[in-house]
Amino acid sequence: TMRRPSEPPTDIVPDLAPSDSIPVANQLLDHMREPYAMGRRKLYVTTSIGISHFPDDGSEPDGLLRSADRAMYRDKRRQKDRRRSRLSA
């Protein structure tokens, strides 16, 4: 996923139960922890994931994105390479 400096990448997973969001986020984090080969070097990437759920965290797309952003940036201040949702706050 490409990211513009002012816009984080966004993925929407429809029909995912709130109880399944943390395991899915953990699978994504596990995948992202794998190093990427850059010639003879390895590149390690940190990932932060913010999670929001309809309708608890917003009823419109903008509200859901704001909730997920708040969750992600709150977690980024604490530690990289993690996921955060309102449920785990």
Side-chain angles (χ1 to χ4, degrees):
T1 302
M2 291 298 290
R3 176 185 185 264
R4 289 190 257 173
S6 63
E7 297 179 21
T10 302
D11 290 313
I12 297 173
V13 183
D15 302 322
L16 183 68
S19 60
D20 293 332
S21 60
I22 299 301
V24 168
N26 285 334
Q27 288 177 345
L28 290 169
L29 288 172
D30 289 344
H31 177 74
M32 294 301 295
R33 283 187 191 106
E34 296 295 320
Y36 293 90
M38 297 290 288
R40 296 169 59 200
R41 297 176 185 240
K42 291 182 180 178
L43 175 67
Y44 293 87
V45 178
T46 60
T47 305
S48 298
I49 298 173
I51 301 168
S52 63
H53 298 106
F54 173 87
D56 296 334
D57 299 315
S59 59
E60 298 291 326
D62 287 342
L64 290 165
L65 289 172
R66 275 192 304 275
S67 292
D69 279 348
R70 280 194 301 270
M72 181 183 66
Y73 286 110
R74 183 175 57 241
D75 204 52
K76 285 176 79 166
R77 284 191 298 272
R78 293 181 182 146
Q79 180 179 343
K80 299 260 189 222
D81 204 30
R82 302 214 12 200
R83 72 6 207 174
R84 166 89 38 204
S85 75
R86 182 184 57 77
L87 298 174
S88 62

